Amino acid sequence: MIKCLKNNINIWKRVRRNVSYGYYNININEKIHKYFDNIDKKRNIKYISDCKSCKECVDEIKNGNYNLLKDFNMKMIGLDIEGYKIGKYGIVSIIQICYEDIYIFDIYKCDNVYLFINYIKDILECDDIIKVTHDCREDCSILYNQYNIHLKNILDTQVAYNLLLKNNNNYTNTYQISYDDLLKKYLFINNNHKIYFHKMITLDNYIYLKRPIMKELISYAIQDVIYLKPLILCILDKFIIKQKKKEEEEKNKYVNDKQNNKIKQEKFDKTSNTLQSKGNISSFNNQDLYHTKEIIQDIILHSKKYVNYQFLNSHIKDEKELQKGMILEGMVVSCNNTKMYLKLNMRKRGVILNYVQNKYEIGDIVKAVIVNFTRNDYINLGLYDEKILTLDAQKYIPREEVLQNIQKFLLNEEKI
């Protein structure tokens, strides 16, 4: 009887480990086909929850010949995480990786978390693989603080978009663009149906921790990674096109100065034709490829700010110990005429009132002092100013008169 029961349990485990979610077909606008490789190919969805399959899939990705950026000898994957309140204190349910196929690594219900994480760590910390993400801050924080995984070679689409905006003369970076907005702007993809899944997750925060995972939720998770690589390629194209336009303008200005506005059009036909073609990265010449490589390296460098978010406020071990006057570090996420909102790498977020406009931009790290606690998930903060603060270096708590000085700067304090 016991032997029969054990056999049934083993059969059930094998069935659970080999859950199949079929294939995923991509239906997109013809204008953006050039950013997708093997557009007609069905993407196999591989659900992995046992260590043996995990190692096989990791080796498949690391040793695979599929390379989206062949001219740079760079391997690129799309990466995202789903779970319960993703962040420093959250719970990871699944890690999605889009390579040639789509891999769903079930961290929450795997058979051996220690081995499972060690196998996946080989990919996430590999210097030879570029990981394309969108707003990876909380993902980095949960992986680092709970599994000691330090993501490397991150190419963040939100960071790339912000850098692209900086090329504009009327640049004002006051909010962080969403993934869905980027898809709509560059790939003409409307993810309106995701509103339904957002509502499901809002109503049940633990929905990704239930097994088996609903096919609708798997589809939702896949959409968060499958478009990441085409999206970053499209943004890279925009960089190249802007750079070419800038170079052409500089050439025209130079010729105007030298030849008294007599420009020989034939000298610029080649440049103009290249601009009009607006082909994908694989169609660029060697100079374009060189510029693209520089742009990729620049985005990776700026994305490190998002990765380093995982270290913010590491001196805070228990949020219950937070007190008025303590110093915190925050990363700017949005600004308006009266407030600046910060991510703190904690359960709560911060808001600064009466800040200096146009002094900070998205992704900047600022020091702030706790002024007041609200009933919701926000902490009222004041900008840290060494001129008015006298601090106890160990406790980070200023004297009473210092708090009074801070209050003078917040006379118009509003309730969030």
Side-chain angles (χ1 to χ4, degrees), residues 3-19:
K3 188 176 181 180
C4 181
L5 184 61
K6 285 183 178 179
N7 289 335
N8 288 335
I9 291 173
N10 289 332
I11 291 171
W12 179 82
K13 283 184 177 179
R14 285 197 296 272
V15 171
R16 181 177 63 84
R17 290 174 186 172
N18 296 314
V19 174

Side-chain angles (χ1 to χ4, degrees), residues 145-157:
N145 288 288
Q146 296 197 19
Y147 300 107
N148 196 29
I149 295 176
H150 185 78
L151 289 176
K152 295 181 180 178
N153 258 12
I154 292 295
L155 196 65
D156 197 281
T157 55

Side-chain angles (χ1 to χ4, degrees), residues 239-250:
F239 271 105
I240 292 296
I241 291 166
K242 278 198 171 186
Q243 193 161 7
K244 283 179 173 293
K245 285 182 179 179
K246 186 178 179 181
E247 289 175 358
E248 187 180 28
E249 288 172 359
E250 290 176 354

